[in-house]
């Protein structure tokens, strides 16, 4: 089992001093720019996130029109992914049309999405690497006018084998 | 004891054993790995099918074509490497009962390049770029491959080296192994959705229990970590209360805590503070509903890959061997690849073969060849190809000569454990024939060579 854990000397937000990643990235393509943040990968999938962009939970003030903009990019022949909540509601998947080759986008909640306030939801990104070698995942909290308020996720996931899968949750507390 | 109780005991035991190895990470990678460990143990008897798609196709032809005088390939396969395949077959290790034949002293060198590789090179683009890989033009270009090589025949009467040239086209509408087919992995997506839903539920339960346990577990945290966490939780609460209108302070505090779980330093310290409590929390969260969606996801992925590899694939090729002096050979061939069972592949060739020019009169003939290839070990897909064993038969007939029958046993030896040499293998073959090209005597020829699939090498270097 590969163990590639980044250690920081202090807890994130308290002047972290992450060590530089030692594993060489041979290529950095669009959407896959090298992350300098902590690498956390006890699983076979290598996960690299930008510092401060690997949130586990967020409060979304839906009543003020706040939304989350999700964006997924991939490398390989086909993406196999789904963003699903704990009730089985599919928010975004590879069965949705991409906005550009290799790029999927969803702003949640959309016009047809019924959202309770307050609510406690868990938006989980499920990835499978059967026909993709890497994914990039970005989630941003945006204001009603579309202005970015806070980066929630900016991570790259790379496989070690074709049968790998990975799940990345984001707890969304609506208000 | 019920089956469910037994399962939970087994899961608990597995987690207790696995726990020390899982300690250094953050919450999300830890929970992912716990689930991987659990489902792996839960399906002990099920092999994780690990076979390749596309780059690791079992029908990519890396060896010199069967038309070459000295190739370890008795049959030609339907696909070619996505980039360039290079093959070198060294002079034969002859066990022939006769002293002189074309194959014995011949070294064959051949390179096969897909039109996709040339197309990418002309455009100066990365051939492994995902946006390009499934473009219609790229798919067509990948269907067409060109082979160029020569037989270095030191024993040829005039010392010349015949040139081998040809092209092969994989008909897209007869190719059931198209990795770009939108429907190829639909079942995997369908299985991924309930797995993600299940993960969401387990994750919520575990995270909430971890949060609830903080009141007790915090006393076991290192004092500096505890002070810092307490301060952050307090600040989050104060910010919520200071907001206009005020936010829910308890929710704000919980959000802060959950985000801290994604910090490796805090998570490691907190996991240590929880001690033996952490494992039962996950076991409880998994509960009687178990991990079936994750196991089903693995099964669907394995099934999709196996179906992909077993699907039939048909190609047509034209090859010629041109000599400075003497007759030139021509071959038009149909090639079928089909999976018979898991890791067992059948390749069948049917061809017209003829020669024209030179001192001899024109000849026409036909050839039928078949090969069964068995991959005894499962493929972990992350490194070199695995060992492959092949058993082949070849029958050839032509005007003005008797029939030739050959049988072959071949082993393709990869270079294990070296990622950068993932595309390199050494085919070793022993061929038995009823007669050589010139005289009616039984012939036994052993061959050793190497093949290099550059798409594999590049994939290894790029870590993909």
């Amino acid at each position: 089992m590969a163990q590639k854990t980044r250690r920081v000397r202090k807890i994130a937000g308290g002047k972290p001093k992450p060590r530089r990643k030692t594993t060489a990235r041979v290529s950095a393509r669009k959407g896959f720019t090298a992350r300098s943040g902590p690498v956390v990968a006890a699983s076979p999938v290598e996960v690299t996130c930008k510092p401060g962009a690997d949130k586990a939970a967020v409060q979304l003030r839906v009543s003020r029109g706040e939304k989350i903009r999700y964006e997924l990019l991939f490398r390989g022949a086909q993406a196999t992914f789904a963003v699903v909540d704990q009730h089985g509601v599919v928010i975004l998947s590879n069965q949705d049309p991409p906005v550009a080759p290799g790029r999927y986008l969803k702003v949640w909640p959309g016009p047809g999405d019924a959202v309770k306030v307050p609510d406690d939801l868990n938006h989980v990104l499920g990835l499978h690497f059967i026909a993709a070698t890497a994914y990039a995942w970005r989630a941003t909290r945006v204001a009603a006018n579309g202005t970015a308020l806070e980066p929630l996720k900016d991570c790259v996931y790379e496989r070690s084998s074709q049968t790998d899968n990975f799940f990345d949750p984001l707890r969304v507390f609506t208000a | 004891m019920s089956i469910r109780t037994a399962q939970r005991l087994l899961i608990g035991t597995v987690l207790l054993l696995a726990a020390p190895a899982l300690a250094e990470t953050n919450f999300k990678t830890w929970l992912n790995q716990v689930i991987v460990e659990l489902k792996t143990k839960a399906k002990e008897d099920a092999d994780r099918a690990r076979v390749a798609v596309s780059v690791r196709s079992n029908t990519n032809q890396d060896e010199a074509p069967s038309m070459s005088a000295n190739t370890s390939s008795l049959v030609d396969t339907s696909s070619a490497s996505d980039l360039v395949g290079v093959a070198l077959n060294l002079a034969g290790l002859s066990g022939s009962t006769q002293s002189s034949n074309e194959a014995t002293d011949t070294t064959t060198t051949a390179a096969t390049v897909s039109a996709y590789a040339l197309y990418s090179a002309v455009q100066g683009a990365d051939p492994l770029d995902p946006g390009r890989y499934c473009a219609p033009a790229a798919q067509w270009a990948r269907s067409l491959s060109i082979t160029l090589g020569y037989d270095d025949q030191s024993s040829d009467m005039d010392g010349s080296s015949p040139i081998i040239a040809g092209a092969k086209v994989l008909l897209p509408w007869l190719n059931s192994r198209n990795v770009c087919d939108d429907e190829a992995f639909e079942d995997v997506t369908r299985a991924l959705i309930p797995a993600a839903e299940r993960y969401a539920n387990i994750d919520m339960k575990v995270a909430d229990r971890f949060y609830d346990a903080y009141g007790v577990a915090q006393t076991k945290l290192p004092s500096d970590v505890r002070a810092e966490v307490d301060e952050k939780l307090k600040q989050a609460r104060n910010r919520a209360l200071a907001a206009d209108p005020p936010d829910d302070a308890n929710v704000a505090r919980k959000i802060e805590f959950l985000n801290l779980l994604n910090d490796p330093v805090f998570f490691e310290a907190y996991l240590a503070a929880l001690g033996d409590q952490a494992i039962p929390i996950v076991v409880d969260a998994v509960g009687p509903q178990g991990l079936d969606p994750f196991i089903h996801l693995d099964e669907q992925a394995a099934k999709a890959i196996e179906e992909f590899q077993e699907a039939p694939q048909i190609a047509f090729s034209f090859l010629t061997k041109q000599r400075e002096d003497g007759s030139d050979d021509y071959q038009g061939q149909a090639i079928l690849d089909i999976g018979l069972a898991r890791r067992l592949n059948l390749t069948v060739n049917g061809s017209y073969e003829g020669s024209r020019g030179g001192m001899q009169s024109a000849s026409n003939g036909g050839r039928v060849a078949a090969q069964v290839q068995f991959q005894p070990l499962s493929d972990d897909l992350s490194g070199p190809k695995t060992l492959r064993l092949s058993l082949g038969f070849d029958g050839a007939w032509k005007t003005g000569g008797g029939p030739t029958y050959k049988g072959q046993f071949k082993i393709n030896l990869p270079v294990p454990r070296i990622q950068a040499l993932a595309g390199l293998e050494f085919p070793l073959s022993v061929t038995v024939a009823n007669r050589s090209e010139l005289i009616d005597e039984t012939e036994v020829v052993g061959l050793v060579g190497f093949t290099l699939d550059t798409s594999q090498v590049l994939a290894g270097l790029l870590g993909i």
Side-chain angles (χ1 to χ4, degrees), chain B residues 197-219:
Chain B
E197 179 189 348
R198 186 83 188 96
Y199 189 93
N201 282 284
I202 293 171
D203 174 77
M204 286 178 91
K205 286 179 186 166
V206 176
D208 287 353
R209 288 281 302 276
F210 274 32
Y211 178 63
D212 293 341
Y214 182 70
V216 176
Q218 62 172 325
T219 57

Side-chain angles (χ1 to χ4, degrees), chain A residues 3 5 12 29 56 61 78 167, chain B residues 21 24 32 181 247 259 263:
Chain A
Q3 293 277 341
T5 304
R29 296 179 174 80
R61 295 171 185 86
Q78 286 196 58
F167 298 92
Chain B
E24 294 185 5
N32 266 277
D181 180 358
D247 286 326
N259 283 327
D263 182 290

Side-chain angles (χ1 to χ4, degrees), chain A residues 1 3 5 7-8 12 26 29 40 43 54 56-57 61 76-78 86 94 122 160-163 167-168 171, chain B residues 21 24 28 32-33 37 49-51 126 130 179 181 189 200-201 203 208 232 247 259 262-263 265 381-382:
Chain A
M1 184 190 310
Q3 293 277 341
T5 304
R7 289 172 181 275
V8 291
V26 177
R29 296 179 174 80
V40 279
S43 78
D54 187 17
R61 295 171 185 86
Q78 286 196 58
Q86 78 269 26
N94 56 282
N122 198 10
S160 62
S161 100
Q162 199 167 6
T163 51
F167 298 92
D168 195 347
R171 201 75 173 260
Chain B
E24 294 185 5
K28 74 176 179 185
N32 266 277
Q33 186 59 20
E37 295 281 337
R50 291 165 177 265
V51 284
D126 170 19
V179 74
D181 180 358
T189 303
N201 282 284
D203 174 77
D208 287 353
K232 282 175 179 291
D247 286 326
N259 283 327
N262 264 6
D263 182 290
V265 170
L381 297 169
S382 56

